[in-house]
Amino acid sequence: MTRKADLDAAAMALMVTLCAVWGLNQVAAKVANAGISPLLQAGLRSAGAAVLVGAWSAWRGVPLFAKDGTLAPGLLAGLMFAAEFGLIFKGLDFTTAARGVVFLYTAPFVVAIGMHVLVPAERLNRIQTGGLVAAFLGIVAAFGEALTLPADRQWIGDAMLLAAALLWGATTLVVRISPLGRAKAEKTLFYQLAVSAILLPVASVALGEQGLTDPTAMAWVSLAWQIAGVAFASYLAWFWLITRYPATRLSAFSFLTPLFGVLFGTVLLDEPFTWPLAAGLVLVGLGIRLVNTRT
């Protein structure tokens, strides 16, 4: 497998597409929340996508259960994936979505620091580091008006979203530096889906979620989109990218995801478009450009 030192046009276009898909997922999750509790929804999403990955792998002849040294890191990545979503959904019970976005999108810094230490070949220079900071400031510009001192127990949710960011970044590092980095993307994804498909419904019951509460047809359509479009197709593409391109530069594109989420909310849910969001888009675009300057 040949690893490239820079992102080419195809990788950049695919990452922008993935961020748009993940941003649309925020809208789909809101729609499905009307009848399916968040953690159960995430568990059903993982279970459905695991079935699709299994069928896809069988069709393509990709062995998912062959011994190749990926079991331990695969299970670890699956545990972190499940814990990340558990922290996100539970954390949003305590804090606002806008505050949560700012804390969650510290994850690319976790990847950058980890890759700086563990994979010197993927270290960022000063200009690229400045680009990462500029992209994060774009998130702060778009959502930062919510960053007043935490009210009541908001700090609990803030801490949980920050912990989720650490897990998100750490999962990327595990995939990049462990034997998973040499495994097929299908196998890497299957570990995470299978483990989270077991753990997230258990967490849903343990935390007293209501489960299925008379979901509408649109809620089921939204869940189907999350299964096929997000957890199967987009995550498969993401893990394929990680094994072939610099993880830090790929992670910088993730700053686009919440901005796409707001844009789709504006178009599909009649949510307001604000000037801070416009400023955020400019800063994130500039930051991504700087991060991907050639060394």
Side-chain angles (χ1 to χ4, degrees), residues 2-13 15 121-125 128 176 240-250 253 288-295:
T2 302
R3 175 173 291 278
K4 299 185 178 182
D6 298 295
L7 301 189
D8 52 32
M12 291 182 185
M15 273 306 307
E122 292 192 21
R123 289 176 177 172
L124 299 181
N125 59 33
Q128 293 167 327
R176 174 62 181 85
W240 180 84
L241 285 167
I242 288 178
T243 62
R244 287 163 174 79
Y245 295 93
T248 305
R249 300 191 190 188
L250 290 170
F253 278 84
I288 290 173
R289 176 68 182 87
L290 293 174
V291 169
N292 286 283
T293 53
R294 293 185 178 272
T295 56

Side-chain angles (χ1 to χ4, degrees), residues 154-292:
Q154 276 190 332
W155 68 268
I156 298 175
D158 296 343
M160 294 177 79
L161 268 294
L162 185 59
L166 292 173
L167 287 169
W168 180 8
T171 303
T172 301
L173 293 174
V174 167
V175 172
R176 174 62 181 85
I177 68 174
S178 75
L180 290 172
R182 300 186 297 274
K184 291 287 188 180
E186 290 89 344
K187 188 164 188 175
T188 300
L189 178 57
F190 187 76
Y191 276 121
Q192 298 190 56
L193 293 174
V195 173
S196 59
I198 296 170
L199 295 182
L200 288 171
V202 172
S204 176
V205 174
L207 294 173
E209 283 192 343
Q210 292 181 310
L212 297 177
T213 57
D214 193 24
T216 63
M218 185 56 68
W220 288 117
V221 169
S222 297
L223 179 60
W225 157 251
Q226 292 181 69
I227 289 172
V230 180
F232 170 56
S234 76
Y235 289 175
L236 193 61
W238 165 245
F239 288 120
W240 180 84
L241 285 167
I242 288 178
T243 62
R244 287 163 174 79
Y245 295 93
T248 305
R249 300 191 190 188
L250 290 170
S251 293
F253 278 84
S254 68
F255 289 115
L256 287 170
T257 300
L259 302 181
F260 272 122
V262 176
L263 287 173
F264 283 125
T266 299
V267 173
L268 300 175
L269 301 178
D270 293 323
E271 295 177 352
F273 181 87
T274 63
W275 286 112
L277 174 61
L281 284 168
V282 172
L283 280 170
V284 169
L286 173 63
I288 290 173
R289 176 68 182 87
L290 293 174
V291 169
N292 286 283

